[in-house]
Amino acid sequence: MAPGAPALLLLSLLSLPGLSPRAAGCPAACRCYSATVECGALRLRVVPPGIPPGTQTLFLQDNSIARLEPGILAPLASLRHLYLHNNSLHALESGAFRAQSRLLELALTGNRLRGLRVGAFAGLAQLRVLYLAGNQLVQLLDFTFLHLQRLQELHLQENSIELLEDQALAGLSSLALLDLSRNQLGTISREALQPLASLQVLRLTENPWRCDCALHWLGAWIKEGGQRLLSSRDKKILCAEPPRLALQSLLEVSGSSLICIPPSVHVEPLEVTANLGEDLRVACQASGYPQPLVTWRKVTWPREGAPRAEAQPEVGWRGPGGLGASDTGSGMLFLTNITLAHAGKYECEASNAGGAARVPFQLLVNVSRQQQLAPALPPAGGPVSHEPLPEAGSMAFRALGLATQTAIAAAIALLALTALLLATMICRRRRRRKKVPGPPGEGALFVNDYSDGPCTFAQLEELRDERGHEMFVIDRSKPLFAEGPAEAAEAPGVAQGLPLQPPSAYEIHC
């Protein structure tokens, strides 16, 4: 054999289409043959690397793939069929299939998809069949399938779809089969089906249809010509609401029985004044049939003139669904940490198939004197009230946090206790001072007997009453001067022969 002949033989064998291209590259545990790669039921969590770029059919079903990593499918530009059913995909990134411009069939059945982003199917210009059945889809937003102009079959059965927006199916001009059976649809608009110019099969059964004025068009459309799209089984569109029409076929209900009650709206109060930093809740009650959709908006005032209503991100209502979500029946305007930017006019709107109703609501914001003096931009939302407020720089006590309120209350109680103790100490000191005896004669009570003539100390008698008060009473029976010359002569140290000074009389006027 000539030199190099074994190498040429090996290359010729690898080029045969029926042999496994292991030498050319094939993911571990997968089976590769021709232009097909089978990686199903291998408990894979991600798309395995090493898939040959020329693969046209890729089986990845029955695994645990939760996400398509960005760019993981980019090398597989030759794919025609991609099977990802029965995995754990919970979302599709925008442009996840942008490189698959030749893909004809995409199977995503039995995953955990809760929503479809606009642009999720961008790049699939040649796609013919799309399987999305058995997921957890709740709503289909406008322009979700805009890039699938050649799509012929769309399988959406066995989801939880409640809302199909008017432009959700826009761009599906080639769609021949639409399966929306076994969902949670209560109504569907004429506008939603208008883009489907090539539709041949429509499946709407096993949905909780609400037979009111909004569904009047569907019954009339089916009777006039739409029944050609429905098989005998698909024509059994049964009403779930109202109770008087429950379990009746839509085709058997007269048009006069499909009624709606326009909404009415009530907001109380219509104007509220709030302090800076407070939280605010305002209820908007709406009634009607079907149950109205309640939406809060803030009315902006453009410079050109007329007011314009726009949804504001700071507006929210009941439930943890997040800010800016709609509510049915009752809506709650919820504002936290109010600032000047919140002041202005709001509008509660309730709408259903029977019409719409709106009620305005005015929010005023109090500003303290200190904040009024500070330079600030005027609020864009509307007027601000200037009612009397507490001390400058103060904030309403109820606008403070619980911890701050507790600390303030404890400080006030401590101050009150300190003041009480000080008052008690002062009272005790005053009482002690009253009990201390004063100098002689202080507090003595001199009582006159109203007799004529002067009196002297010799005629005074000291007395005390029951309460201990000291008194001096004049006794006129005593002499004006005390007798004491003899006693004075006998006193030691007095010179004999010296005359004694006569006693002096001191008048006491009592």
Side-chain angles (χ1 to χ4, degrees):
M1 182 178 294
L8 293 174
L9 179 60
L10 180 59
L11 290 176
S12 62
L13 289 174
L14 289 176
S15 63
L16 293 177
L19 295 180
S20 175
R22 288 284 181 182
C26 184
C30 297
R31 296 177 55 195
C32 302
Y33 52 90
S34 185
T36 301
V37 176
E38 291 186 3
C39 298
L42 295 179
R43 300 181 180 178
L44 300 175
R45 295 184 177 274
V46 295
V47 177
I51 300 176
T55 301
Q56 297 183 8
T57 303
L58 177 58
F59 292 93
L60 290 169
Q61 77 283 358
D62 302 319
N63 283 292
S64 300
I65 300 174
R67 184 187 179 198
L68 294 179
E69 300 293 336
I72 191 65
L73 299 177
L76 307 179
S78 300
L79 275 180
R80 299 290 193 276
H81 307 274
L82 177 57
Y83 301 100
L84 282 164
H85 50 283
N86 299 333
N87 275 279
S88 301
L89 293 172
H90 58 271
L92 296 177
E93 301 293 335
S94 297
F97 307 101
R98 192 176 300 276
Q100 281 65 55
S101 59
R102 301 180 182 180
L103 194 66
L104 301 175
E105 184 179 15
L106 176 59
L108 296 168
T109 304
N111 279 275
R112 300 178 183 177
L113 298 175
R114 294 180 177 272
L116 298 174
R117 301 179 181 178
V118 176
F121 303 109
L124 300 177
Q126 302 295 326
L127 192 66
R128 299 294 194 274
V129 182
L130 176 58
Y131 296 97
L132 288 168
N135 280 277
Q136 302 173 14
L137 300 176
V138 176
Q139 59 182 1
L140 295 179
L141 304 179
D142 288 338
F143 311 113
T144 299
F145 307 104
L146 185 62
H147 304 90
L148 306 180
Q149 298 182 0
R150 297 193 178 185
L151 190 68
Q152 297 178 357
E153 296 184 17
L154 179 56
H155 298 266
L156 291 166
Q157 67 272 21
E158 298 180 10
N159 279 279
S160 300
I161 301 174
E162 299 176 353
L163 175 64
L164 185 69
E165 294 192 352
D166 291 348
Q167 299 298 320
L169 304 177
L172 300 179
S173 57
S174 301
L175 194 67
L177 184 149
L178 175 61
D179 194 344
L180 286 168
S181 60
R182 284 170 280 178
N183 277 281
Q184 296 297 317
L185 286 170
T187 189
I188 189 171
S189 66
R190 182 191 297 269
E191 290 76 16
L193 299 182
Q194 277 184 349
L196 310 181
S198 304
L199 192 62
Q200 299 179 14
V201 178
L202 178 62
R203 295 171 183 165
L204 299 172
T205 56
E206 300 184 53
N207 280 282
W209 295 108
R210 185 179 61 249
C211 294
D212 55 23
C213 63
L215 217 57
H216 183 277
W217 76 271
L218 182 60
W221 175 74
I222 293 175
K223 292 176 182 178
E224 292 174 0
Q227 56 183 344
R228 63 180 178 82
L229 307 180
L230 307 175
S231 64
S232 57
R233 181 177 63 88
D234 296 333
K235 291 180 182 178
K236 295 179 181 180
I237 300 177
L238 301 180
C239 300
E241 296 181 36
R244 60 186 177 83
L245 299 178
L247 301 181
Q248 294 188 35
S249 174
L250 176 63
L251 300 180
E252 297 174 359
V253 177
S254 62
S256 59
S257 298
L258 302 175
I259 60 174
C260 293
I261 301 176
S264 60
V265 188
H266 177 73
V267 175
E268 183 67 29
L270 293 177
E271 182 175 312
V272 169
T273 300
N275 296 321
L276 291 175
E278 287 184 337
D279 294 343
L280 177 67
R281 292 173 181 248
V282 181
C284 178
Q285 300 292 334
S287 60
Y289 184 82
Q291 191 69 39
L293 186 70
V294 179
T295 306
W296 276 98
R297 294 185 178 89
K298 185 176 182 182
V299 179
T300 59
W301 298 85
R303 296 179 181 178
E304 290 77 9
R308 179 169 52 94
E310 291 183 352
Q312 298 295 315
E314 71 271 13
V315 180
W317 31 87
R318 68 176 173 90
L323 299 179
S326 296
D327 186 17
T328 55
S330 64
M332 187 70 71
L333 173 65
F334 180 43
L335 302 176
T336 58
N337 192 20
I338 289 178
T339 64
L340 292 178
H342 290 94
K345 183 178 180 181
Y346 292 77
E347 190 176 70
C348 176
E349 180 185 72
S351 60
N352 63 11
R358 299 175 182 85
V359 171
F361 168 76
Q362 186 77 20
L363 174 61
L364 304 177
V365 178
N366 265 331
V367 183
S368 67
R369 297 187 186 95
Q370 181 177 358
Q371 290 166 330
Q372 286 177 359
L373 296 176
L377 294 177
V384 178
S385 71
H386 300 282
E387 298 181 1
L389 291 174
E391 294 293 332
S394 65
M395 182 181 291
F397 182 73
R398 57 182 176 176
L400 302 176
L402 180 59
T404 307
Q405 293 181 9
T406 304
I408 293 176
I412 293 175
L414 183 59
L415 289 175
L417 181 59
T418 304
L420 181 61
L421 292 175
L422 288 174
T424 304
M425 293 174 62
I426 292 173
C427 291
R428 287 182 178 179
R429 288 186 178 181
R430 287 183 178 177
R431 290 179 181 177
R432 290 177 182 176
R433 288 179 180 177
K434 289 182 179 179
K435 293 181 180 180
V436 175
E442 182 180 359
L445 179 61
F446 298 90
V447 180
N448 194 352
D449 64 350
Y450 300 100
S451 299
D452 294 331
C455 61
T456 64
F457 284 106
Q459 292 178 314
L460 296 180
E461 290 186 1
E462 183 179 355
L463 297 177
R464 289 183 180 272
D465 63 3
E466 297 177 353
R467 298 183 179 179
H469 293 289
E470 184 179 0
M471 298 185 299
F472 290 89
V473 181
I474 299 174
D475 187 357
R476 292 288 182 180
S477 62
K478 293 183 178 181
L480 290 175
F481 302 100
E483 295 180 358
E487 295 177 0
E490 296 176 359
V494 179
Q496 295 183 0
L498 292 177
L500 293 174
Q501 294 293 333
S504 300
Y506 297 92
E507 281 192 10
I508 302 174
H509 299 277
C510 302

